[in-house]
């Protein structure tokens, strides 16, 4: 190798050594600088860690002590952190692994989905309101402000938000809105005209009635904000005294003092009442309220009522019924002229006195005490008392008492209308005496009937015995005619005894219907069938089940027995038929007994019910049976009639009161 190449390699080697040394010096410098920076970074990191710990502690304090609920959730809406306020609001803890989507009200789920989209697209959502269902199943309305949490690569990893329960607040807000709406609706629809002006006399609110009163061709809404400074001048032509109308408004608005019931008379005859009410807030004048009422009818009614009052006052003063007004202590406040005449006392002598002490006998004290208590309870009724007039004479009064009320509906006393019934009571006493005498006479008459019946039957029995003795003593010697005459005597005696028995039965029937028991008329018919002799060719048919009635069973049996026996007695058909039926009416039962016997001519329809009246001289008829029937039916406030055709039969109809 030549020397030139060697020199070149040598120079290159020197340069390389120089460069290496330079690089080593630079590396040493950088190492020292890096060490220095490392030391500085260590100090900085320690400071930063302290700041982070401090910030974390502060954030933890804020998180734990914030008044509103604070919730952190992952991207799936799982709660990963929440404070005590959130636990109290939701009723859940972290241990419950709560997913916020699960507590959303079913009707709000679509709204929440849109909210999540907004949150993650914009990074935040504010003023979001939603209904949730908390742990105890209550529905709560909550207000949410939330933001997204990002990692160092600016990717969303969670979201945090403040949740505030606004259920009560919203309810109160809605209640306020409802109240305002109701108030506005009320004002707009009031029968009174309303005008609310502020301190500058600008209209705040009015209603249609006000516009109608003053013929204003605008709606209430159009008037809001209009100034009323010169409105009186424009409307004064509607009133009988225009200048007074204007001057009075100016006076009221300047004095700012409440005035009620100002009267305004309009040209068309209407009468308005006006109230002026100033409005102050903390002593500062804020405006005033006008109210106008149409009292035309009220005034006419008042005048009409006054006229009626005067009319009835005159009637009361002159009527024949005594009138007394007393307070709750029974002290007399007013009497009319008729009461003065009834009692003999003047009004001046009675006013302020206790009515019971002055006008009534002591024996009525219990009645008056009871009646006064009833008046305090608002009860009205009528009662009788013994009174004494000024002369000391005892009188009988019928009193109709009623409570007297004030305008608040409180009982302030009573009003009594008094009728002197002394003469009626005397007649009543006389009637009672007459009834006692009549009852005694009836008893004596019934006793007499029994005596007469016994006295009449005794000679009949003697005659019957004598006839039998004659027949027995002359059994072989009496001819056929004599025996026939003796048989006629027996028949006559039997008929006479039956007549006496029926008369006694008729007189004993009386008018007493006080005996009342359940009487099964079906059983009555069955009993009669066993008592009466019913020929084989006659049948008795009951069309339907008969009713059970309230009556005296003996009398009802007499009634049916006489009608049925009458039908048997006058039956001339073979076969004979008796049909019993009834119909239920509103207040009565209507019975019918139909036969196919000889019938009764029209002229005898009323006659047969009278005593001793018989259709013919039937040997078994005494002429009393249908009289007994009529008497029993009268006793039970019923009626009896018949329909009949001679030769075809008869139907007896009768009613018995239920």
């Amino acid at each position: 190798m030549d020397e030139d190449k060697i020199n070149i390699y040598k120079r290159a080697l020197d340069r390389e050594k120089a460069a290496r040394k330079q690089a080593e010096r630079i590396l040493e410098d950088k190492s020292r600088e890096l060490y220095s920076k490392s030391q500085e970074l260590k100090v900085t990191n320690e400071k930063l860690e302290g700041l982070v710990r401090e910030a974390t502690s502060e954030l933890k304090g804020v998180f734990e002590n914030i008044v509103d609920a604070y919730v952190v959730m992952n991207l799936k809406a799982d709660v990963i952190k929440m404070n005590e306020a959130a636990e109290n609001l939701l009723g859940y803890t972290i241990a419950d692994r709560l997913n916020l989507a699960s507590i959303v009200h079913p009707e709000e789920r679509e709204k929440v989905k849109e909210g999540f989209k907004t949150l993650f697209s914009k990074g935040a959502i504010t003023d979001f309101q939603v209904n949730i269902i908390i742990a105890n199943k209550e529905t709560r309305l909550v207000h949410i402000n939330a933001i997204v949490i990002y990692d160092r690569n600016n990717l969303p990893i969670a979201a945090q938000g403040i949740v505030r329960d606004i259920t009560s607040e919203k309810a109160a807000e809605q209640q306020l809105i409802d109240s305002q709406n109701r108030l506005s609706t009320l004002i707009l629809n009031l029968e009174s005209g309303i005008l609310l002006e502020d301190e500058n006399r600008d209209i705040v609110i009015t209603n249609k009635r006000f516009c109608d009163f003053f013929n204003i061709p605008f709606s209430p809404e159009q008037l809001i904000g209009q100034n009323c400074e010169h409105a009186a001048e424009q409307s004064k032509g509607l009133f009988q005294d225009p200048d007074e109308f204007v001057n009075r408004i100016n006076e009221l608005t300047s004095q700012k003092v409440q005035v009620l019931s100002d009267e305004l008379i309009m040209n068309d005859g209407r009468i308005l009442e006006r109230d002026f009410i100033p409005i102050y807030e903390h002593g500062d004048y804020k405006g005033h309220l006008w109210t106008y009422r149409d009292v035309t009818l009220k005034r006419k009614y008042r005048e009409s009522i006054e006229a009626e009052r005067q009319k009835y006052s005159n009637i009361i003063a002159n009527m024949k019924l005594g009138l007394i007004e007393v307070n709750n202590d029974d002290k007399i406040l007013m009497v009319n002229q008729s009461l003065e005449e009834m009692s003999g006392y003047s009004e001046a002598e009675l006013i302020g006195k206790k009515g019971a002490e002055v006008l009534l006998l002591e024996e009525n004290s219990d009645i008056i005490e009871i009646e006064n208590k009833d008046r305090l309870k608002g009860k009205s009724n009528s009662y009788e008392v013994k009174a004494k007039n000024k002369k000391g004479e005892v009188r009988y009064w019928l009193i109709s008492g009623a409570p007297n009320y004030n305008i608040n509906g409180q009982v302030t006393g009573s009003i009594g209308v008094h009728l002197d019934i002394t003469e009626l009571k005397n007649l009543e006493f006389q009637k009672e005496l007459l009834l006692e005498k009549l009852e005694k006479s009836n008893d004596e008459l019934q006793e007499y009937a029994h005596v007469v019946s016994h006295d009449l039957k005794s000679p009949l029995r003697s005659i019957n015995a004598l006839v039998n003795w004659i027949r027995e003593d002359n059994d072989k010697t009496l001819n056929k005619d004599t025996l026939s005459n003796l048989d006629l005597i027996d028949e006559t005696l039997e008929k006479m005894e039956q007549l006496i028995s029926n008369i006694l039965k008729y007189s004993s029937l009386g008018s007493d219907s006080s005996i009342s028991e359940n009487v099964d008329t079906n059983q009555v018919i069955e009993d009669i069938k066993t008592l009466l002799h019913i020929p084989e060719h006659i049948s008795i048919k009951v069309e339907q089940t008969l009713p059970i009635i309230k009556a005296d069973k003996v009398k009802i049996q007499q009634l049916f027995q006489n009608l049925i026996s009458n039908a048997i007695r006058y039956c001339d058909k073979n076969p004979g038929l008796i049909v019993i039926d009834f119909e239920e009416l509103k207040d009565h039962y209507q019975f019918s007994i139909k036969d196919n016997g000889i019938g009764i001519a029209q002229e005898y329809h009323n006659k047969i019910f009278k005593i001793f009246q018989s259709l013919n001289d039937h040997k078994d008829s005494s002429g009393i049976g249908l009289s007994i029937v009529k008497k029993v039916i009268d006793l039970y406030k019923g009626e009896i009639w018949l329909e009949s055709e001679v030769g075809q039969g008869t139907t007896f109809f009768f009613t018995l009161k239920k």
Side-chain angles (χ1 to χ4, degrees):
M1 178 181 300
D2 58 16
E3 189 176 348
D4 291 334
K5 288 183 179 180
I6 293 171
N7 290 332
I8 291 171
Y9 286 134
K10 187 178 180 181
R11 286 194 296 272
L13 184 59
D14 290 338
R15 285 195 299 270
E16 185 178 344
K17 287 179 179 180
R20 187 181 296 116
K21 286 180 180 181
Q22 182 67 30
E24 288 175 354
R25 283 195 300 269
I26 293 172
L27 182 60
E28 288 176 359
D29 291 341
K30 291 296 182 184
S31 295
R32 283 193 296 271
E33 185 180 348
L34 180 60
Y35 176 77
S36 177
K37 293 294 183 183
S38 295
Q39 293 299 317
E40 291 178 3
L41 182 60
K42 184 178 180 181
V43 173
T44 302
N45 283 338
E46 289 177 353
K47 290 181 179 179
L48 184 59
E49 287 177 1
L51 291 173
V52 169
R53 284 195 298 270
E54 185 179 345
T56 302
S57 177
E58 291 176 357
L59 182 60
K60 183 179 180 182
V62 172
F63 173 77
E64 291 177 348
N65 295 294
I66 191 171
V67 175
D68 291 322
Y70 174 79
V71 179
V72 180
M73 68 174 184
N74 61 21
L75 299 182
K76 295 181 180 180
D78 296 325
V79 176
I80 57 177
K81 197 170 187 180
M82 60 180 170
N83 64 354
E84 185 179 351
E87 292 177 351
N88 292 336
L89 169 60
L90 303 177
Y92 296 99
T93 66
I94 288 294
D96 294 320
R97 298 182 179 276
L98 174 65
N99 184 283
L100 293 179
S102 67
I103 64 172
V104 174
H105 194 282
E107 296 178 0
E108 305 259 72
R109 286 172 183 167
E110 288 300 321
K111 178 180 177 181
V112 170
K113 286 181 181 179
E114 294 300 320
F116 269 82
K117 289 180 182 179
T118 302
L119 173 63
F120 289 109
S121 64
K122 295 185 177 181
I125 188 169
T126 59
D127 198 25
F128 185 73
Q129 296 181 13
V130 64
N131 283 297
I132 63 172
I133 301 174
I134 61 177
N136 64 3
K137 306 304 180 185
E138 288 184 6
T139 299
R140 312 297 292 176
L141 179 64
V142 295
H143 176 277
I144 301 172
N145 287 321
I147 61 172
V148 177
I149 301 173
Y150 298 94
D151 63 9
R152 66 178 63 187
N153 297 318
N154 203 31
L155 294 175
I157 58 172
Q160 61 182 351
I162 301 295
V163 183
R164 187 159 56 89
D165 186 351
I166 60 170
T167 308
S168 300
E169 179 183 323
K170 201 69 177 179
E173 181 182 333
Q174 186 60 45
Q175 195 173 28
L176 179 60
I177 292 171
D178 292 342
S179 297
Q180 289 174 339
N181 290 337
R182 284 195 295 269
L183 181 60
S184 297
T185 303
L186 177 63
I187 290 173
L188 290 173
N189 293 282
L190 278 175
E191 283 300 311
S192 299
I194 300 295
L195 176 64
L196 179 61
E197 299 176 356
D198 64 16
E199 64 272 22
N200 299 317
R201 296 207 61 191
D202 292 336
I203 296 176
V204 177
I205 192 171
T206 186
N207 65 352
K208 189 175 183 303
R209 190 65 169 159
F210 176 81
C211 297
D212 293 341
F213 280 155
F214 291 91
N215 299 333
I216 298 173
F218 301 104
S219 69
E221 292 79 10
Q222 292 173 311
L223 294 178
I224 294 175
Q226 299 295 317
N227 189 270
C228 296
E229 191 73 36
H230 305 293
E233 288 289 342
Q234 298 169 4
S235 303
K236 68 179 183 180
L238 298 172
F239 298 90
Q240 286 187 2
D241 192 341
D243 293 335
E244 174 60 23
F245 173 71
V246 174
N247 293 336
R248 183 61 170 160
I249 287 180
N250 293 334
E251 178 186 344
L252 295 175
T253 54
S254 62
Q255 292 181 352
K256 299 179 177 57
V257 177
Q258 177 175 300
V259 174
L260 304 177
S261 301
D262 258 2
E263 185 176 284
L264 306 170
I265 301 176
M266 305 186 76
N267 288 329
D268 59 6
R270 286 182 296 162
I271 302 172
L272 301 183
E273 264 188 2
R274 177 179 60 194
D275 297 338
F276 174 80
I277 303 173
I279 301 171
Y280 291 90
E281 184 177 327
H282 305 300
D284 296 328
Y285 181 70
K286 294 296 182 180
H288 48 260
L289 175 69
W290 301 96
T291 62
Y292 292 84
R293 296 177 297 277
D294 188 339
V295 295
T296 310
L297 289 177
K298 180 180 175 182
R299 291 300 167 85
K300 289 181 179 178
Y301 284 143
R302 185 187 299 174
E303 293 171 1
S304 175
I305 289 171
E306 181 59 28
E308 291 294 312
R309 190 192 68 79
Q310 189 60 43
K311 179 176 73 173
Y312 286 111
S313 294
N314 293 335
I315 292 173
I316 289 171
N318 294 285
M319 68 182 183
K320 295 300 181 183
L321 297 173
L323 186 71
I324 295 180
E325 180 183 350
V326 299
N327 61 19
N328 287 332
D329 295 326
D330 196 36
K331 290 185 178 180
I332 298 174
L333 304 176
M334 183 274 291
V335 298
N336 69 344
Q337 184 178 347
S338 295
L339 196 284
E340 291 179 324
E341 294 172 357
M342 288 169 60
S343 66
Y345 293 97
S346 67
E347 184 177 26
E349 292 175 304
L350 294 174
I351 297 297
K353 304 289 180 60
K354 286 199 171 186
E357 293 178 357
V358 178
L359 300 172
L360 304 181
L361 296 179
E362 261 186 54
E363 61 189 75
N364 299 294
S365 57
D366 292 342
I367 298 175
I368 298 302
E369 184 178 351
I370 293 171
E371 294 300 326
N372 286 342
K373 289 180 180 178
D374 285 346
R375 296 300 167 273
L376 292 174
K377 296 176 183 177
K379 295 181 180 179
S380 304
N381 63 341
S382 299
Y383 53 97
E384 290 183 16
V385 295
K386 278 186 179 181
K388 56 181 179 182
N389 59 20
K390 192 174 181 179
K391 295 179 180 179
E393 298 170 338
V394 175
R395 309 294 292 178
Y396 291 90
W397 287 356
L398 176 63
I399 302 176
S400 179
N404 195 18
Y405 300 93
N406 61 17
I407 60 174
N408 296 320
Q410 298 170 326
V411 177
T412 59
S414 61
I415 296 176
V417 178
H418 299 62
L419 175 65
D420 191 328
I421 57 170
T422 306
E423 300 304 323
L424 291 175
K425 291 296 287 186
N426 290 336
L427 290 174
E428 186 178 323
F429 294 148
Q430 293 177 22
K431 176 185 173 183
E432 289 175 359
L433 290 174
L434 288 173
L435 287 174
E436 289 178 6
K437 290 181 180 179
L438 182 60
E439 185 177 356
K440 185 177 180 181
S441 297
N442 285 337
D443 292 341
E444 292 174 352
L445 183 61
Q446 190 169 352
E447 184 179 351
Y448 176 73
H450 281 85
V451 171
V452 169
S453 172
H454 179 270
D455 290 348
L456 289 175
K457 284 184 178 181
S458 293
L460 290 179
R461 294 190 187 100
S462 298
I463 295 172
N464 180 261
L466 290 171
V467 169
N468 288 331
W469 291 345
I470 292 172
R471 187 182 285 113
E472 290 172 0
D473 292 343
N474 302 279
D475 183 36
K476 304 294 184 180
T477 59
L478 294 177
N479 59 32
K480 186 177 180 180
D481 290 339
T482 302
L483 291 173
S484 177
N485 289 331
L486 291 175
D487 289 339
L488 287 174
I489 292 173
D490 283 338
E491 290 178 6
T492 303
L493 290 173
E494 184 179 348
K495 189 171 183 179
M496 187 65 182
E497 184 175 6
Q498 183 182 357
L499 179 62
I500 293 170
S501 297
N502 286 338
I503 291 173
L504 179 61
K505 187 185 296 182
Y506 182 82
S507 64
S508 301
L509 193 61
S511 59
D512 183 15
S513 61
S514 60
I515 299 174
S516 182
E517 58 183 315
N518 288 327
V519 179
D520 186 348
T521 50
N522 300 282
Q523 187 60 47
V524 169
I525 299 302
E526 293 302 317
D527 292 344
I528 291 172
K529 287 180 182 179
T530 61
L531 291 173
L532 295 178
H533 170 66
I534 303 174
E536 292 182 359
H537 72 282
I538 296 176
S539 61
I540 298 176
K541 179 182 178 183
V542 179
E543 286 286 274
Q544 58 179 316
T545 302
L546 301 177
I548 295 175
I549 62 175
K550 284 279 188 181
D552 180 352
K553 185 176 181 180
V554 174
K555 291 183 174 62
I556 297 303
Q557 184 164 326
Q558 286 178 318
L559 166 61
F560 279 96
Q561 184 172 322
N562 277 288
L563 287 172
I564 292 172
S565 62
N566 204 60
I568 294 171
R569 185 178 302 122
Y570 294 105
C571 182
D572 61 347
K573 306 292 191 305
N574 190 1
L577 178 63
I578 300 171
V579 179
I580 302 172
D581 199 0
F582 93 102
E583 179 182 353
E584 185 172 357
L585 305 178
K586 182 179 179 182
D587 298 316
H588 294 76
Y589 291 114
Q590 179 178 301
F591 293 88
S592 63
I593 298 179
K594 181 180 180 180
D595 65 61
N596 62 345
I598 63 176
I600 302 173
Q602 179 69 36
E603 60 266 26
Y604 296 107
H605 284 192
N606 291 324
K607 181 180 179 183
I608 57 174
F609 294 112
K610 295 179 180 178
I611 193 169
F612 301 130
Q613 298 295 322
S614 180
L615 185 61
N616 54 36
D617 294 330
H618 194 284
K619 65 176 182 177
D620 296 326
S621 176
S622 63
I624 296 179
L626 290 179
S627 300
I628 292 175
V629 168
K630 182 70 166 62
K631 198 166 186 180
V632 171
I633 291 172
D634 289 344
L635 189 63
Y636 289 101
K637 301 179 181 178
E639 296 180 359
I640 185 168
W641 68 97
L642 67 143
E643 295 176 359
S644 182
E645 186 176 346
V646 176
Q648 300 298 317
T650 302
T651 303
F652 281 92
F653 297 93
F654 63 91
T655 60
L656 295 175
K657 193 170 184 180
K658 288 184 180 179

